[in-house]
mmCIF file of all heavy atoms in Angstrom:
data_model
loop_
_atom_site.group_PDB
_atom_site.id
_atom_site.type_symbol
_atom_site.label_atom_id
_atom_site.label_comp_id
_atom_site.label_asym_id
_atom_site.label_seq_id
_atom_site.Cartn_x
_atom_site.Cartn_y
_atom_site.Cartn_z
ATOM 1 N N GLY A 97 -31.408 121.370 -37.126
ATOM 2 C CA GLY A 97 -30.617 122.388 -36.421
ATOM 3 C C GLY A 97 -31.337 123.027 -35.259
ATOM 4 O O GLY A 97 -32.061 122.375 -34.516
ATOM 5 N N PHE A 98 -31.106 124.346 -35.083
ATOM 6 C CA PHE A 98 -31.660 125.143 -33.987
ATOM 7 C C PHE A 98 -31.374 124.457 -32.656
ATOM 8 O O PHE A 98 -32.266 124.070 -31.913
ATOM 9 C CB PHE A 98 -33.139 125.388 -34.227
ATOM 10 C CG PHE A 98 -33.391 126.223 -35.451
ATOM 11 C CD1 PHE A 98 -33.686 125.627 -36.672
ATOM 12 C CD2 PHE A 98 -33.264 127.602 -35.393
ATOM 13 C CE1 PHE A 98 -33.847 126.408 -37.802
ATOM 14 C CE2 PHE A 98 -33.439 128.388 -36.530
ATOM 15 C CZ PHE A 98 -33.724 127.797 -37.736
ATOM 16 N N LEU A 99 -30.073 124.384 -32.373
ATOM 17 C CA LEU A 99 -29.573 123.620 -31.234
ATOM 18 C C LEU A 99 -28.960 124.482 -30.145
ATOM 19 O O LEU A 99 -28.142 124.005 -29.364
ATOM 20 C CB LEU A 99 -28.492 122.624 -31.749
ATOM 21 C CG LEU A 99 -29.006 121.517 -32.660
ATOM 22 C CD1 LEU A 99 -27.850 120.841 -33.374
ATOM 23 C CD2 LEU A 99 -29.808 120.497 -31.845
ATOM 24 N N THR A 100 -29.375 125.728 -30.022
ATOM 25 C CA THR A 100 -28.695 126.640 -29.109
ATOM 26 C C THR A 100 -29.482 126.952 -27.828
ATOM 27 O O THR A 100 -29.050 127.779 -27.037
ATOM 28 C CB THR A 100 -28.396 127.972 -29.808
ATOM 29 O OG1 THR A 100 -29.608 128.554 -30.315
ATOM 30 C CG2 THR A 100 -27.405 127.769 -30.963
ATOM 31 N N ALA A 101 -30.589 126.281 -27.590
ATOM 32 C CA ALA A 101 -31.414 126.590 -26.415
ATOM 33 C C ALA A 101 -30.626 126.385 -25.130
ATOM 34 O O ALA A 101 -29.916 125.387 -24.965
ATOM 35 C CB ALA A 101 -32.664 125.731 -26.417
ATOM 36 N N THR A 102 -30.805 127.300 -24.190
ATOM 37 C CA THR A 102 -30.143 127.174 -22.882
ATOM 38 C C THR A 102 -30.960 126.307 -21.937
ATOM 39 O O THR A 102 -30.392 125.643 -21.054
ATOM 40 C CB THR A 102 -29.936 128.562 -22.246
ATOM 41 O OG1 THR A 102 -31.184 129.256 -22.205
ATOM 42 C CG2 THR A 102 -28.935 129.377 -23.032
ATOM 43 N N ASP A 103 -32.259 126.304 -22.080
ATOM 44 C CA ASP A 103 -33.131 125.503 -21.243
ATOM 45 C C ASP A 103 -32.978 124.021 -21.614
ATOM 46 O O ASP A 103 -33.052 123.660 -22.793
ATOM 47 C CB ASP A 103 -34.591 125.933 -21.435
ATOM 48 C CG ASP A 103 -35.552 125.071 -20.656
ATOM 49 O OD1 ASP A 103 -35.662 125.218 -19.441
ATOM 50 O OD2 ASP A 103 -36.202 124.200 -21.315
ATOM 51 N N ALA A 104 -32.751 123.191 -20.614
ATOM 52 C CA ALA A 104 -32.481 121.765 -20.875
ATOM 53 C C ALA A 104 -33.627 121.090 -21.584
ATOM 54 O O ALA A 104 -33.420 120.291 -22.511
ATOM 55 C CB ALA A 104 -32.157 121.046 -19.562
ATOM 56 N N SER A 105 -34.849 121.397 -21.169
ATOM 57 C CA SER A 105 -36.013 120.790 -21.803
ATOM 58 C C SER A 105 -36.132 121.190 -23.266
ATOM 59 O O SER A 105 -36.428 120.376 -24.155
ATOM 60 C CB SER A 105 -37.289 121.144 -21.039
ATOM 61 O OG SER A 105 -38.432 120.632 -21.661
ATOM 62 N N ALA A 106 -35.910 122.477 -23.534
ATOM 63 C CA ALA A 106 -35.979 122.958 -24.917
ATOM 64 C C ALA A 106 -34.871 122.353 -25.762
ATOM 65 O O ALA A 106 -35.086 122.038 -26.943
ATOM 66 C CB ALA A 106 -35.884 124.485 -24.938
ATOM 67 N N PHE A 107 -33.706 122.171 -25.175
ATOM 68 C CA PHE A 107 -32.597 121.559 -25.926
ATOM 69 C C PHE A 107 -32.949 120.104 -26.270
ATOM 70 O O PHE A 107 -32.724 119.671 -27.407
ATOM 71 C CB PHE A 107 -31.318 121.607 -25.094
ATOM 72 C CG PHE A 107 -30.099 121.073 -25.804
ATOM 73 C CD1 PHE A 107 -29.447 121.836 -26.761
ATOM 74 C CD2 PHE A 107 -29.615 119.807 -25.518
ATOM 75 C CE1 PHE A 107 -28.329 121.339 -27.429
ATOM 76 C CE2 PHE A 107 -28.505 119.305 -26.174
ATOM 77 C CZ PHE A 107 -27.854 120.062 -27.124
ATOM 78 N N GLU A 108 -33.515 119.374 -25.309
ATOM 79 C CA GLU A 108 -33.889 117.999 -25.590
ATOM 80 C C GLU A 108 -35.009 117.915 -26.637
ATOM 81 O O GLU A 108 -35.017 117.000 -27.464
ATOM 82 C CB GLU A 108 -34.328 117.296 -24.304
ATOM 83 C CG GLU A 108 -33.200 117.059 -23.325
ATOM 84 C CD GLU A 108 -32.061 116.252 -23.913
ATOM 85 O OE1 GLU A 108 -32.350 115.272 -24.658
ATOM 86 O OE2 GLU A 108 -30.902 116.599 -23.673
ATOM 87 N N SER A 109 -35.904 118.891 -26.614
ATOM 88 C CA SER A 109 -36.951 118.934 -27.648
ATOM 89 C C SER A 109 -36.330 119.150 -29.027
ATOM 90 O O SER A 109 -36.782 118.559 -30.027
ATOM 91 C CB SER A 109 -37.956 120.046 -27.331
ATOM 92 O OG SER A 109 -38.689 119.755 -26.166
ATOM 93 N N ALA A 110 -35.299 119.999 -29.088
ATOM 94 C CA ALA A 110 -34.612 120.221 -30.347
ATOM 95 C C ALA A 110 -33.928 118.957 -30.843
ATOM 96 O O ALA A 110 -33.933 118.640 -32.036
ATOM 97 C CB ALA A 110 -33.622 121.364 -30.208
ATOM 98 N N ILE A 111 -33.307 118.226 -29.915
ATOM 99 C CA ILE A 111 -32.688 116.955 -30.290
ATOM 100 C C ILE A 111 -33.733 116.007 -30.859
ATOM 101 O O ILE A 111 -33.537 115.381 -31.910
ATOM 102 C CB ILE A 111 -31.983 116.321 -29.095
ATOM 103 C CG1 ILE A 111 -30.777 117.167 -28.644
ATOM 104 C CG2 ILE A 111 -31.557 114.876 -29.403
ATOM 105 C CD1 ILE A 111 -29.629 117.184 -29.636
ATOM 106 N N ASP A 112 -34.865 115.900 -30.201
ATOM 107 C CA ASP A 112 -35.941 115.011 -30.669
ATOM 108 C C ASP A 112 -36.430 115.409 -32.054
ATOM 109 O O ASP A 112 -36.665 114.560 -32.922
ATOM 110 C CB ASP A 112 -37.107 115.017 -29.685
ATOM 111 C CG ASP A 112 -36.793 114.320 -28.383
ATOM 112 O OD1 ASP A 112 -35.807 113.569 -28.323
ATOM 113 O OD2 ASP A 112 -37.519 114.547 -27.389
ATOM 114 N N GLU A 113 -36.573 116.728 -32.282
ATOM 115 C CA GLU A 113 -37.018 117.196 -33.578
ATOM 116 C C GLU A 113 -36.001 116.870 -34.667
ATOM 117 O O GLU A 113 -36.341 116.494 -35.800
ATOM 118 C CB GLU A 113 -37.292 118.692 -33.546
ATOM 119 C CG GLU A 113 -37.924 119.282 -34.781
ATOM 120 C CD GLU A 113 -39.282 118.645 -35.095
ATOM 121 O OE1 GLU A 113 -40.040 118.312 -34.135
ATOM 122 O OE2 GLU A 113 -39.603 118.463 -36.281
ATOM 123 N N ASN A 114 -34.724 116.983 -34.336
ATOM 124 C CA ASN A 114 -33.682 116.645 -35.281
ATOM 125 C C ASN A 114 -33.644 115.143 -35.569
ATOM 126 O O ASN A 114 -33.355 114.741 -36.698
ATOM 127 C CB ASN A 114 -32.331 117.141 -34.791
ATOM 128 C CG ASN A 114 -32.092 118.602 -35.112
ATOM 129 O OD1 ASN A 114 -31.663 118.928 -36.212
ATOM 130 N ND2 ASN A 114 -32.394 119.469 -34.166
ATOM 131 N N LEU A 115 -33.942 114.339 -34.584
ATOM 132 C CA LEU A 115 -34.010 112.881 -34.817
ATOM 133 C C LEU A 115 -35.139 112.555 -35.802
ATOM 134 O O LEU A 115 -34.988 111.681 -36.665
ATOM 135 C CB LEU A 115 -34.198 112.145 -33.513
ATOM 136 C CG LEU A 115 -33.002 112.191 -32.545
ATOM 137 C CD1 LEU A 115 -33.366 111.571 -31.211
ATOM 138 C CD2 LEU A 115 -31.788 111.497 -33.143
ATOM 139 N N ARG A 116 -36.260 113.282 -35.661
ATOM 140 C CA ARG A 116 -37.351 113.089 -36.625
ATOM 141 C C ARG A 116 -36.904 113.523 -38.023
ATOM 142 O O ARG A 116 -37.243 112.873 -39.018
ATOM 143 C CB ARG A 116 -38.597 113.863 -36.177
ATOM 144 C CG ARG A 116 -39.330 113.220 -35.021
ATOM 145 C CD ARG A 116 -40.650 113.891 -34.729
ATOM 146 N NE ARG A 116 -40.484 115.190 -34.090
ATOM 147 C CZ ARG A 116 -40.404 115.356 -32.763
ATOM 148 N NH1 ARG A 116 -40.469 114.318 -31.958
ATOM 149 N NH2 ARG A 116 -40.264 116.578 -32.258
ATOM 150 N N ALA A 117 -36.158 114.620 -38.093
ATOM 151 C CA ALA A 117 -35.689 115.089 -39.397
ATOM 152 C C ALA A 117 -34.722 114.073 -40.024
ATOM 153 O O ALA A 117 -34.745 113.857 -41.236
ATOM 154 C CB ALA A 117 -35.001 116.449 -39.246
ATOM 155 N N ILE A 118 -33.897 113.458 -39.208
ATOM 156 C CA ILE A 118 -32.990 112.434 -39.709
ATOM 157 C C ILE A 118 -33.796 111.267 -40.290
ATOM 158 O O ILE A 118 -33.466 110.762 -41.377
ATOM 159 C CB ILE A 118 -32.035 111.971 -38.593
ATOM 160 C CG1 ILE A 118 -31.005 113.074 -38.284
ATOM 161 C CG2 ILE A 118 -31.325 110.669 -38.992
ATOM 162 C CD1 ILE A 118 -30.195 112.818 -37.025
#
Side-chain angles (χ1 to χ4, degrees):
F98 296 95
L99 293 165
T100 57
T102 54
D103 176 76
S105 176
F107 183 78
E108 291 303 319
S109 293
I111 293 292
D112 289 344
E113 187 60 35
N114 277 276
L115 292 173
R116 286 189 286 272
I118 288 169

